[in-house]
Amino acid sequence: MSRGSSGDGYRRGRDVERERDDPSVSGVYRPILPVIWGIGAVLFLVVGWFDLRGALAVVLVTHLFFAGLIRADIKSLRRQGVDWGHSRHLWFGAAFTLPFVALAYYWYSGRVVRRANESRGVGDADDADDGRGASDDRPARST
């Protein structure tokens, strides 16, 4: 009798955990946030040089855009099984008013994704180069 099975026909233990096929978690809109923040900062500086009201309009539009992206990203992570609790409302609300929330969310959601992938026993989707998870015992292919 092997270590992971018993006489009743059910498989238990580490063998089952090793063969479990949980997909890795990845933020769909997360990689876009620093790019949009950079573009918004450049637009703010250029437009602000000429017109203060135009600069405020850039801030308003980018914050609305960030709030939408953060909401969509949180929804996609929740569909993948990541539990956010009530802090998701704070991230969404803060994206309207504070300029560095998008970058803070980018950092925080990266930690959440990494933690969820570690708990599932798979590699980070952003760092995986050949699509295999971290629980794979075979050595990586060399090119």
Side-chain angles (χ1 to χ4, degrees), residues 30 105-118:
R30 184 178 169 267
Y105 172 81
Y106 178 80
W107 175 76
Y108 180 75
S109 66
R111 290 182 57 198
V112 168
V113 166
R114 198 172 309 111
R115 190 177 328 128
N117 285 333
E118 287 173 0

Side-chain angles (χ1 to χ4, degrees), residues 40-107:
V42 169
L43 283 174
F44 175 76
L45 292 174
V46 169
V47 172
W49 186 262
F50 299 108
D51 184 25
L52 183 61
R53 280 191 270 174
L56 292 176
V58 168
V59 169
L60 177 68
V61 169
T62 55
H63 286 320
L64 291 174
F65 195 68
F66 285 142
L69 282 176
I70 288 173
R71 181 177 185 272
D73 193 57
I74 289 173
K75 282 179 72 173
S76 75
L77 289 173
R78 290 187 72 209
R79 271 187 245 118
Q80 295 175 47
V82 176
D83 183 29
W84 278 80
H86 291 291
S87 70
R88 69 182 186 270
H89 301 296
L90 295 174
W91 284 111
F92 174 69
F96 283 119
T97 57
L98 303 172
F100 295 106
V101 168
L103 296 179
Y105 172 81
Y106 178 80
W107 175 76

